[in-house]
Amino acid sequence: MGLVTYVNGAFVPKDGASISVYDHGLLYGDGIFEGIRAYNGRAFRLEEHLDRLFDSAKTIMLQMPLSREQMRDAILETLRRNDLRDAYIRPLVTRGVGDLGLDPRRSKGATVIIIADTIQLYPKEAYVNGLRTVTATTRKPRPDALNPRVKSLNYLNSIMARIEANQAGVDEAIMLTADGYVCECSADNIFVIHDGQIWTPPPFLGILAGITRGAVLDLARDLEIPAVERVFTLHDVYSADECFLTGTGAEIGPVVEVDGRAIADGRPGALTGRLIEAFHALVRRTGTPIFPTEARVGGA
Ligand code: PMP
């Protein structure tokens, strides 16, 4: 059976799923989205993704056509219709169909799309041997230009960084703030470890407040590994004992090279390995059940 996609309340075959060329999501990147994963029949941290989606909608003054409950149901129903227990789910809400001017008041109502599929962000070997990265010359926008905390359909800034990684022949690009502090990657948050302490940039710096990032901070607390949110520079990355990236698509990816410098001995670090193991256990045992039978087996 081919995959089906939710488009404004209807389930349509993946290849036939389409929206208007006058949709402002296409014309202006005017919209928001989420990237969610399901593992073992459960949608991981679904409520946090719904929080972020509705917070993003509020900031861009997008009138959500579905309530939070309806959106949750639509996401779970999309997984059920595709009979997926392990999946990547991409809900999108655009400003909807308007005219060729950018004024959002011309919109006739938001468009809702929910795609359920699979994703493989980096090659499998990169999780074993580690990721190679460069620092992008493209800076993250300042929070008062386009706040990176809004998960908007404007991803060209990240795509520019991704192109730099491609041109350099590496797996990912690290992005700095306008002031030159380490911010995040094209689609992941960044962590370094110094003397057994985990560091990650704070949300106010202009990062996307990643849900995987939050899970890693929770796991660090459970494992009694000290973790702090702090501002740091590339020097702190080059001299780190370990470095890793987190994201829903990426999960936890060890970084072994940054701008031609090996991180420590150039192999994935031991604490990173412990976090990866704990993360895999966490995603399998927690999350919102997709199928009713799952709900009877255990809680969320
Ligand atoms: N930063 C950016 C720019 C992203 O696109 C993503 C992926 N959504 C992340 C960080 C990681 O966030 P999350 O763990 O919620 O997927």
Side-chain angles (χ1 to χ4, degrees):
M1 187 194 75
L3 293 173
V4 291
T5 303
Y6 173 106
V7 184
N8 289 329
F11 288 95
V12 285
K14 172 182 167 177
D15 293 337
S18 59
I19 56 163
S20 165
V21 292
Y22 284 85
D23 193 294
H24 279 206
L26 173 68
L27 290 178
Y28 297 111
D30 186 357
I32 53 172
F33 74 104
E34 271 302 315
I36 309 170
R37 256 193 206 254
Y39 298 89
N40 196 29
R42 292 156 183 279
F44 184 62
R45 299 207 164 182
L46 179 57
E47 295 307 318
E48 289 186 28
H49 285 285
L50 289 167
D51 284 343
R52 193 168 66 184
L53 185 70
F54 279 81
D55 287 349
S56 291
K58 182 147 195 199
T59 292
I60 73 161
M61 295 186 94
L62 175 62
Q63 183 66 42
M64 292 289 274
L66 301 183
S67 68
R68 186 186 169 106
E69 290 65 37
Q70 288 170 326
M71 185 59 84
R72 182 194 302 114
D73 288 349
I75 290 169
L76 293 171
E77 184 58 19
T78 307
L79 286 162
R80 284 193 287 266
R81 295 265 182 144
N82 287 290
D83 201 22
L84 286 167
R85 293 175 51 80
D86 292 274
Y88 177 82
I89 309 117
R90 169 67 59 88
L92 291 95
V93 187
T94 78
R95 191 79 63 180
V97 174
D99 59 19
L100 292 178
L102 57 75
D103 190 342
R105 289 176 302 186
R106 309 267 169 81
S107 160
K108 297 180 180 71
T111 300
V112 181
I113 299 166
I114 305 170
I115 304 167
D117 209 323
T118 53
I119 194 168
Q120 172 84 46
L121 224 55
Y122 305 116
K124 280 206 174 73
E125 315 80 73
Y127 291 89
V128 181
N129 302 325
L131 295 152
R132 294 174 58 233
T133 65
V134 289
T135 305
T137 59
T138 307
R139 300 291 174 100
K140 287 299 286 189
R142 291 162 42 116
D144 57 350
L146 179 61
N147 197 326
R149 294 192 64 187
V150 175
K151 199 161 169 59
S152 84
L153 294 178
N154 279 273
Y155 254 59
L156 205 47
N157 176 250
S158 281
I159 291 165
M160 293 298 284
R162 178 71 242 182
I163 289 170
E164 293 191 52
N166 295 349
Q167 292 296 104
V170 300
D171 301 296
E172 185 50 85
I174 295 173
M175 302 185 74
L176 308 180
T177 65
D179 293 329
Y181 295 109
V182 175
C183 193
E184 60 178 346
C185 298
S186 69
D188 318 293
N189 292 113
I190 186 164
F191 289 72
V192 291
I193 304 181
H194 277 271
D195 299 324
Q197 188 181 51
I198 298 174
W199 301 356
T200 195
F204 76 81
L205 208 61
I207 62 166
L208 183 79
I211 285 156
T212 321
R213 172 187 181 277
V216 163
L217 290 174
D218 291 347
L219 286 171
R221 200 189 47 230
D222 296 348
L223 296 170
E224 296 181 356
I225 306 170
V228 290
E229 292 179 326
R230 56 168 288 178
V231 175
F232 57 89
T233 64
L234 273 177
H235 174 74
D236 301 305
V237 178
Y238 300 148
S239 58
D241 301 321
E242 300 185 30
C243 177
F244 60 91
L245 312 180
T246 66
T248 299
E251 301 176 297
I252 303 176
V255 173
V256 294
E257 187 188 302
V258 180
D259 299 332
R261 283 96 164 156
I263 301 301
D265 64 359
R267 284 188 303 219
L271 285 180
T272 306
R274 278 180 66 198
L275 288 166
I276 291 173
E277 205 180 300
F279 180 75
H280 286 312
L282 179 73
V283 297
R284 285 189 66 76
R285 72 165 192 271
T286 61
T288 305
I290 301 166
F291 300 95
T293 46
E294 227 89 36
R296 285 202 295 274
V297 180

